Amino acid sequence: TLKVKTGDFINGTEFINYTLTITGAEFSEIYGWFGDKTIDINNQSIEIDFFEGISENGLVFNNPQLNFYINNAFGVPMGVNFTGVSSSNANGTTANLSGTITDSPQFVRAPSTSQVGNIATSVINIDESNSNMRDLLAISPNQFNIALTAEANYTNDDGSDRNFVTTESNVEVVTEINLPLNVKLTDVSRDFPTGIEGFDFEDADTIKLVLNTINQLPFDGTIDMQFLAADSSVLKEFPDILFFTSAEVPTSGKIEEPTTNSSIVKVHKGEDGGYQELLDASVLNLVMRVTSYNAGEDNFVKIFSDYELIIQVGTEVNVNHEL
């Protein structure tokens, strides 16, 4: 309280200066206007093993989804930018998210000043209707990179609504990748190597490698059989061997009866017979190439959990003995 006695006066050049020092201050709640700054709210990488060994390009999912569940306990509405979302694969190929989802920030709700201590949840769905999600998965990624930034007070730029923060305030981002097993495959390849060092049939004239398959999947498949040296160079290759075929897919979408197929690869002595290369090889590599049923007609097929593909590999050896 400043008291001015009768007869005293204060002129315009006088002032009072207070210096206040606060140390060890703590807060429980702060209210005010926090401005429109850009802040980092999530930066993570998600490892994906699903595509391991699958060739880049050729695998298309029908309406894959990337969903974000954002729980905001700050009294600050936000606009989240998704331009920092991308996928990458083992070959170093990167695909960046684009589409209407990245054209403008996506609104994230916030509790009001009468809801201190509560959480406002926002769900943001990214699919083929608002993005290029198919492109991000088409490269057979082994990693999703998610770097999200947010604009504080998005749609609240006039400051008419007060902001608040408490010691318990935080933003939690839960990311969900949804890959429906409704797919289209076009010449998708994958390697299946196995060691064969020490393989030897000294007296054999011809070796027949027999491949039997029982297939319930809606896929057609061929293989390239390769004999590889220790340095992975190809010593001998038998290309385009029919491996398995798809049954007709009924209107219900589910195949009940599997198809069977048998293929024989003859390896024999002599020029270009593959016998010596088989003896010299360290690895037998099967390069499988798969195309889904009617993929050329832009048809998607469903994959059911009880589908089976049974592969049986055997050998027949012709041996001549002189008596």
Side-chain angles (χ1 to χ4, degrees):
T1 302
L2 180 63
K3 296 181 179 180
V4 180
K5 296 181 179 180
T6 304
D8 292 340
F9 64 92
I10 298 174
N11 61 43
T13 60
E14 295 174 322
F15 64 92
I16 298 174
N17 186 11
Y18 288 96
T19 300
L20 178 64
T21 302
I22 300 176
T23 59
E26 297 181 355
F27 75 93
S28 60
E29 300 174 5
I30 297 176
Y31 296 84
W33 169 244
F34 295 169
D36 56 358
K37 295 180 175 60
T38 299
I39 56 176
D40 296 328
I41 65 168
N42 186 262
N43 196 331
Q44 65 174 321
S45 294
I46 302 175
E47 302 293 332
I48 303 176
D49 297 330
F50 179 87
F51 299 95
E52 184 177 357
I54 298 177
S55 61
E56 182 177 331
N57 299 319
L59 173 58
V60 180
F61 287 88
N62 188 19
N63 198 22
Q65 296 178 345
L66 182 62
N67 301 321
F68 291 89
Y69 303 87
I70 303 176
N71 300 316
N72 181 20
F74 286 93
V76 185
M78 303 179 189
V80 177
N81 297 302
F82 286 94
T83 54
V85 176
S86 65
S87 66
S88 56
N89 63 21
N91 297 327
T93 304
T94 298
N96 297 309
L97 185 70
S98 62
T100 57
I101 194 72
T102 62
D103 289 345
S104 60
Q106 303 300 305
F107 181 68
V108 173
R109 300 170 55 244
S112 66
T113 52
S114 63
Q115 298 173 315
V116 176
N118 292 336
I119 294 174
T121 300
S122 301
V123 180
I124 300 174
N125 304 110
I126 301 176
D127 57 27
E128 62 182 18
S129 70
N130 57 12
S131 74
N132 63 335
M133 269 298 295
R134 284 187 179 182
D135 295 339
L136 268 65
L137 295 169
I139 65 170
S140 297
N142 62 356
Q143 185 170 281
F144 257 84
N145 310 295
I146 300 173
L148 302 183
T149 61
E151 298 179 13
N153 283 303
Y154 185 66
T155 72
N156 185 34
D157 52 8
D158 61 357
S160 57
D161 293 333
R162 285 197 302 167
N163 303 140
F164 73 82
V165 60
T166 74
T167 54
E168 304 297 325
S169 294
N170 70 336
V171 177
E172 179 188 40
V173 180
V174 178
T175 306
E176 174 188 75
I177 299 176
N178 188 349
L179 302 180
L181 289 180
N182 192 0
V183 299
K184 180 179 67 174
L185 285 73
T186 306
D187 205 26
V188 173
S189 68
R190 182 170 184 175
D191 289 12
F192 293 90
T194 182
I196 56 170
E197 288 181 324
F199 184 91
D200 190 7
F201 287 101
E202 288 288 346
D203 298 323
D205 290 328
T206 303
I207 300 171
K208 295 180 181 179
L209 302 179
V210 183
L211 307 174
N212 295 321
T213 58
I214 303 172
N215 177 38
Q216 197 174 2
L217 292 165
F219 299 154
D220 297 319
T222 63
I223 61 168
D224 297 339
M225 180 179 290
Q226 300 174 335
F227 301 153
L228 305 183
D231 62 359
S232 297
S233 61
V234 179
L235 301 176
K236 175 66 176 177
E237 181 177 43
F238 297 90
D240 296 324
I241 303 167
L242 180 62
F243 199 30
F244 53 85
T245 58
S246 171
E248 191 84 13
V249 178
T251 55
S252 65
K254 184 174 183 180
I255 296 172
E256 299 295 343
E257 295 296 328
T259 60
T260 60
N261 187 76
S262 182
S263 300
I264 296 177
V265 179
K266 293 182 179 180
V267 180
H268 58 85
K269 294 180 179 179
E271 185 178 354
D272 202 33
Y275 181 84
Q276 187 59 48
E277 290 82 357
L278 177 59
L279 298 184
D280 295 340
S282 298
V283 175
L284 171 65
N285 187 42
L286 301 179
V287 182
M288 184 185 298
R289 294 191 304 277
V290 178
T291 299
S292 59
Y293 179 77
N294 279 349
E297 299 177 12
D298 201 29
N299 183 62
F300 286 83
V301 292
K302 296 179 180 179
I303 311 299
F304 292 88
S305 60
D306 58 349
Y307 275 174
E308 287 185 320
L309 171 61
I310 300 173
I311 300 174
Q312 301 168 332
V313 181
T315 59
E316 294 180 4
V317 180
N318 293 335
V319 180
N320 287 332
H321 289 284
E322 293 184 3
L323 299 178

